[in-house]
């Protein structure tokens, strides 16, 4: 495993930059987010009864994949099993699955097929913790036999997912993650989870698969949650973020962020060299809610014109420098993209972050060629209209005299 951003193994991922996270399971029936079983202390029998009500009439994995594609996303990650223990796949190790309950469907199989058909990277989320096991709450010291059964179950089901569904591009473990979660939820060391053993099996069974850092090992990429880092970041990272304000699973009372904020997060993430994994929470019938669809389609329309400033780009600015006075900068070879988030009514923009001279400047929204001149350390971009031609943001493409090189303010 390696988080080297220049490795061939991970290049497709860092070129993609934008993916869809999908949190979906029994908890959608409750409509109060994915943690309802735990936070409301729902008894096991009561929660298990939901499996006989879970019959998603309108589940259509192809519709999900086509929506992701229309939004400009390049890969997807589905919760094959969340902490509640309910599996969206067939498993010989439990009856608490969508195949062995009312739905009688293997949703993971349908999802994987849809991703492949639409040319999207296939990602599966799989949790280390499982509330079906009392030993998870007891810990290995108080309940060593139960803990051993939990770890065996975790290994066995991981192997099912990576054996029964063909090539998987991303395995997205959840917990433990030393950086983010150790201590709060009673997570244990990698040795206790036998992470090294499982990691070796995965590398042999699925060569080239990318694994995040929440399985007890460093993994191929880090996963900051609900936050966009600032400045230079070591290695490869992917920020996972909700489209609503709080919940990952379906919660109709949770208000949605507006498109301005979502695009700002995407751009900010890419400008510091990261991927952006944006979550949706389908309803109990398997339908992605209309507010989410509307936002995704609007983002997709923006990316149709401006996506070259996102896909396959790298950060320019080092350390804590991740923005200009009007927006962000991304680069690709001899090109810098000035993503203008704060439009100036003066008809000009001033840029002090590039050492390079500019051979040509183009406003992507209109194709207009702009005038660029150097005044000391500054590049002045002129000829813009008083009003922004595209909403919410615009991009000025700067073709440079060589590879993009940053300069400091002083």
């Amino acid at each position: 495993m390696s988080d080297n951003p220049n490795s061939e193994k991970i290049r497709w991922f860092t070129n993609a930059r934008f993916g869809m996270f999908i949190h979906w399971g029994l908890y959608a029936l409750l409509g109060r987010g994915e943690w309802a079983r735990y936070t409301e202390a729902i008894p096991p029998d009561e929660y298990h009864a939901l499996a006989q009500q879970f019959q998603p009439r309108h589940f259509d994995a192809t519709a999900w994949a086509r929506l992701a594609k229309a939004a400009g996303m390049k890969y997807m990650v589905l919760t094959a099993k969340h902490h509640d223990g309910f599996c969206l796949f067939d498993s010989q190790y439990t009856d608490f699955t969508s195949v062995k309950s009312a739905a009688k469907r293997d949703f993971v199989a349908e999802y994987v097929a849809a991703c492949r058909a639409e040319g999207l990277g296939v990602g599966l989320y799989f949790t280390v913790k499982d509330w079906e096991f009392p030993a998870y709450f007891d810990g290995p010291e108080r309940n060593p036999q139960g803990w051993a059964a939990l770890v065996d179950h975790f290994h066995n089901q991981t192997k099912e997912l990576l054996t029964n569904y063909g090539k998987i591009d991303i395995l997205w473990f959840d917990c433990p993650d030393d950086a983010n979660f150790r201590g709060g939820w009673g997570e244990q060391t990698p040795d206790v989870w036998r992470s090294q053993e499982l990691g070796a099996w995965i590398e042999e069974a699925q060569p080239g698969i990318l694994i995040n850092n929440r399985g007890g090992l460093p993994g191929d990429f880090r996963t900051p949650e609900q936050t966009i880092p600032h400045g230079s970041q070591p290695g490869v990272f992917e920020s996972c973020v909700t489209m609503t304000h709080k919940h990952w699973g379906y919660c109709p009372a949770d208000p949605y962020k507006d498109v301005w904020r979502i695009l700002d997060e995407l751009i900010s993430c890419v400008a510091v060299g990261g991927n952006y994994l944006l979550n949706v929470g389908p309803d109990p019938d398997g339908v992605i809610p209309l507010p989410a669809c509307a936002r995704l389609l609007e983002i997709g329309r923006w990316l149709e014109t401006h996506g070259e400033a996102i896909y396959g780009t790298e950060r320019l600015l080092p350390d804590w420098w991740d923005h200009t006075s009007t927006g962000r900068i991304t680069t690709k070879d001899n090109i810098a993209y000035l993503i203008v988030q704060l439009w100036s009514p003066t008809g000009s923009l001033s840029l002090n972050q590039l050492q390079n001279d500019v051979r040509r400047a183009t406003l992507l929204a209109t194709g207009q060629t702009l005038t660029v001149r150097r005044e000391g350390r500054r590049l002045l971009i002129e000829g813009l209209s008083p009003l922004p031609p595209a909403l919410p943001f615009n991009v000025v493409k700067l073709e440079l005299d060589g590879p993009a090189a940053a300069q400091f303010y002083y």
Side-chain angles (χ1 to χ4, degrees):
M1 298 182 192
S2 170
D3 64 354
N4 176 6
N6 298 314
S7 73
E8 287 300 320
K9 173 183 175 181
I10 208 164
R11 193 176 303 278
W12 77 265
F13 180 73
T14 55
N15 284 341
R17 289 305 183 206
F18 189 26
M20 176 183 280
F21 213 177
I22 304 173
H23 276 68
W24 188 60
L26 289 188
Y27 42 82
L29 288 165
L30 301 175
R32 298 188 294 276
E34 70 290 348
W35 275 68
R37 175 177 182 173
Y38 178 85
T39 57
E40 299 176 20
I42 298 174
D45 288 349
E46 181 181 333
Y47 196 80
H48 279 223
L50 295 176
Q52 301 310 319
Q53 304 172 36
F54 190 61
Q55 300 184 59
R57 297 171 298 167
H58 302 299
F59 172 84
D60 184 346
T62 298
W64 285 4
R66 289 179 177 171
L67 176 62
K69 197 170 181 178
M73 293 159 161
K74 303 299 184 182
Y75 62 98
M76 302 172 73
V77 179
L78 171 66
T79 51
K81 182 181 81 170
H82 207 268
H83 310 324
D84 64 346
F86 184 73
C87 301
L88 297 179
F89 60 97
D90 195 11
S91 176
Q92 64 175 306
Y93 300 103
T94 180
D95 291 335
F96 198 38
T97 77
S98 60
V99 177
K100 297 176 182 177
S101 53
K104 300 290 190 292
R105 293 170 71 176
D106 188 326
F107 294 113
V108 165
E110 295 181 47
Y111 156 81
V112 170
C115 286
R116 292 194 184 119
E118 296 302 319
L120 297 168
V122 181
L124 292 176
Y125 165 112
F126 187 72
T127 183
V128 175
K129 65 169 58 180
D130 190 329
W131 297 330
E132 286 287 282
F133 286 80
Y136 173 77
F137 301 98
D138 297 336
E141 292 80 14
R142 287 195 295 167
N143 188 349
Q145 186 174 354
W147 186 269
L150 165 62
V151 174
D152 282 343
H153 189 74
F154 161 53
H155 281 230
N156 289 334
Q157 288 198 322
T158 301
K159 291 176 180 179
E160 284 183 316
L161 283 173
L162 298 185
T163 301
N164 298 340
Y165 299 96
K167 177 174 168 49
I168 303 300
D169 299 302
I170 299 169
L171 180 58
W172 212 103
F173 282 130
D174 200 2
C175 303
D177 176 358
D178 290 353
N180 293 330
F181 297 109
R182 176 72 62 77
W185 297 343
E187 316 309 346
Q188 306 296 326
T189 65
D191 288 344
V192 173
W193 290 107
R194 293 161 40 208
S195 298
Q196 196 74 45
E197 171 192 332
L198 183 59
W201 182 92
I202 293 171
E203 290 286 344
E204 184 174 346
Q206 288 272 358
I209 194 171
L210 299 180
I211 306 173
N212 71 343
N213 65 332
R214 298 193 185 189
L217 297 174
D220 297 296
F221 61 98
R222 295 180 296 108
T223 53
E225 184 170 316
Q226 296 285 48
T227 186
I228 309 299
H230 294 286
S232 295
Q233 297 296 312
V236 179
F237 78 91
E238 173 194 70
S239 286
C240 54
V241 178
T242 54
M243 192 182 296
T244 57
H245 283 263
K246 181 178 180 181
H247 291 285
W248 300 87
Y250 180 63
C251 183
D254 194 4
Y256 282 80
K257 302 170 186 173
D258 60 29
V259 171
W260 190 101
R261 178 172 172 186
I262 296 169
L263 267 177
D264 176 67
E265 290 178 346
L266 168 62
I267 292 164
S268 300
C269 194
V270 173
V272 293
N275 280 30
Y276 183 68
L277 187 64
L278 180 63
N279 183 75
V280 296
D283 71 14
D285 279 334
V287 176
I288 296 175
L290 184 59
C293 293
R295 285 158 174 77
L296 290 170
L297 293 175
E298 191 170 342
I299 291 165
R301 285 191 290 270
W302 187 87
L303 285 167
E304 283 180 2
T305 301
H306 304 99
E308 65 177 276
I310 300 296
Y311 307 122
T313 60
E314 302 291 341
R315 67 173 182 257
L316 167 70
L317 304 179
D319 302 322
W320 53 269
W321 271 12
D322 57 7
H323 62 277
T324 71
S325 59
T326 58
R328 310 275 176 166
I329 297 177
T330 61
T331 68
K332 187 187 301 178
D333 301 323
N334 288 16
I335 297 172
Y337 296 96
L338 174 58
I339 304 174
V340 184
Q341 297 169 284
L342 301 172
W343 191 260
S344 172
T346 65
S348 66
L349 297 169
S350 179
L351 188 62
N352 180 39
Q353 283 77 17
L354 277 171
Q355 296 179 27
N356 306 77
D357 286 329
V358 176
R359 291 178 173 172
R360 179 183 173 88
T362 308
L363 186 62
L364 291 186
T366 63
Q368 175 191 358
T369 299
L370 303 171
T371 300
V372 181
R373 61 186 175 88
R374 182 169 288 282
E375 187 181 85
R377 296 177 57 82
R378 295 190 302 167
L379 287 172
L380 296 175
I381 303 168
E382 299 172 322
L384 298 162
S385 64
L387 297 176
L391 293 174
F393 307 129
N394 283 271
V395 176
V396 177
K397 179 180 180 178
L398 303 172
E399 298 173 44
L400 310 175
D401 59 357
Q407 70 178 5
F408 291 94
Y409 291 109
Y410 47 85

